[in-house]
Amino acid sequence: MKRYFIAGNWKMHKTVAEAVSLASELRDRLSDCREKLMIAPPFTALQAVSEVTRGSNILLGAQNMGPEESGAHTGEVSVLMLKDLGVSVVILGHSERRHTYGEHDALINAKVRLALKHGLEVILCVGETLEEREHGALETVIRRQLVEGLRGVEPSALLGVTVAYEPVWAIGTGKTATPEDADTVHAFCRKVVAELYGQEAALRMPIQYGGSVKPENVAALMAKQNIDGALVGGASLKAESFVPIAKFR
Ligand code: 13P
């Protein structure tokens, strides 16, 4: 049976005390959940949340990292620092990083390779803006983000990669892609991965959907053949909504 990868991206929310409180509730209420689970608190709460999730079935994720191991990089956080805190997954190429902070494919690729080199799992986010979709550029954009994001990643390292399809127009807007629409784009992502790494690797690749996932729409999305999990923003900030998402079946 398929095991889904349900991940919460807390973005720039929660003080340390709030993060510990939510993580503790999730740890207790999701202890019997058999899906693969991850939460990504802000950097400032990683250490405290790490103590809560240690030994549980919830993986600790980071929302970003710097492209170098160390050095004069003011404001950046290194892969080594993340590992030191017990982080095992890192979200890279999120659309907010791409569009608000100007992260380009080459930078994201450097981070992907560095994270994999150090044994972190990577969630590589891809997704088109509404304008790109309306101009018929969806496939061009997704293909470029995948090809450039995975450039130089060895086939053996691909096992550490999950792709997250997050249409930019669906993030935080309450507008979800229809399950059919999302499934079509996921199938396209799989096709691109197959071109790069072969059919078997593409079939193995988990592809999450992200963009206004809620308790009400999660089951219909997860029912689709090419959807293997969810990357949840707003609804991951409360146990009342994240628990039913993780326990959608
Ligand atoms: P929302 O679930 O708030 O739309 O955010 C999705 C997202 O960006 C997760 O990374």
Side-chain angles (χ1 to χ4, degrees):
M1 200 167 64
K2 185 151 146 183
R3 186 167 177 246
Y4 291 84
F5 185 5
I6 310 291
N9 173 9
W10 295 2
K11 306 193 181 182
M12 199 172 71
H13 295 283
K14 306 222 177 267
T15 61
V16 173
E18 289 165 350
V20 165
S21 161
L22 175 58
S24 308
E25 190 173 354
L26 294 176
R27 179 198 55 200
D28 295 344
R29 292 177 62 184
L30 292 174
S31 60
D32 58 346
C33 177
R34 272 172 291 153
E35 315 301 350
K36 178 173 174 178
L37 302 171
M38 184 212 80
I39 51 176
F43 289 130
T44 47
L46 280 173
Q47 170 146 33
V49 171
S50 166
E51 280 159 30
V52 175
T53 54
R54 187 177 303 136
S56 77
N57 58 343
I58 302 179
L59 299 171
L60 186 63
Q63 300 173 20
N64 187 23
M65 61 172 231
E68 312 281 346
E69 280 164 13
S70 63
H73 301 288
T74 302
E76 291 293 330
V77 172
S78 146
V79 61
L80 303 174
M81 299 167 186
L82 297 180
K83 285 189 66 175
D84 190 36
L85 295 181
V87 167
S88 60
V89 188
V90 61
I91 301 169
L92 296 173
H94 191 280
S95 69
E96 286 146 20
R97 302 299 320 169
R98 291 180 190 266
H99 298 291
T100 316
Y101 299 100
E103 290 200 10
H104 48 78
D105 289 308
L107 175 66
I108 294 162
N109 175 248
K111 296 182 183 194
V112 168
R113 284 185 289 136
L114 186 64
L116 293 171
K117 177 178 157 207
H118 286 279
L120 288 190
E121 278 188 49
V122 168
I123 296 178
L124 173 62
C125 302
V126 300
E128 82 290 0
T129 62
L130 187 57
E131 197 186 359
E132 287 162 344
R133 174 173 275 247
E134 285 173 347
H135 284 83
L138 187 153
E139 293 198 350
T140 312
V141 170
I142 301 284
R143 179 185 293 278
R144 190 201 72 228
Q145 291 175 343
L146 284 172
V147 170
E148 299 304 325
L150 294 172
R151 190 172 289 285
V153 172
E154 297 294 329
S156 58
L158 198 70
L159 282 174
V161 179
T162 293
V163 167
Y165 170 56
E166 299 205 311
V168 180
W169 46 271
I171 296 177
T173 58
K175 283 187 212 151
T176 323
T178 63
E180 293 68 30
D181 207 5
D183 192 52
T184 304
V185 183
H186 283 223
F188 177 73
C189 292
R190 232 181 265 295
K191 177 169 163 242
V192 174
V193 174
E195 287 165 17
L196 298 172
Y197 294 96
Q199 188 65 20
E200 209 178 300
L203 288 173
R204 234 184 0 234
M205 164 78 68
I207 307 179
Q208 295 173 319
Y209 169 78
S212 300
V213 175
K214 305 175 256 230
E216 302 81 56
N217 60 23
V218 63
L221 286 160
M222 296 307 120
K224 289 293 171 190
Q225 190 184 352
N226 288 292
I227 303 187
D228 309 310
L231 183 54
V232 187
S236 73
L237 295 172
K238 288 193 175 140
E240 293 87 88
S241 39
F242 193 63
V243 169
I245 289 174
K247 294 190 172 177
F248 70 93
R249 58 173 170 176

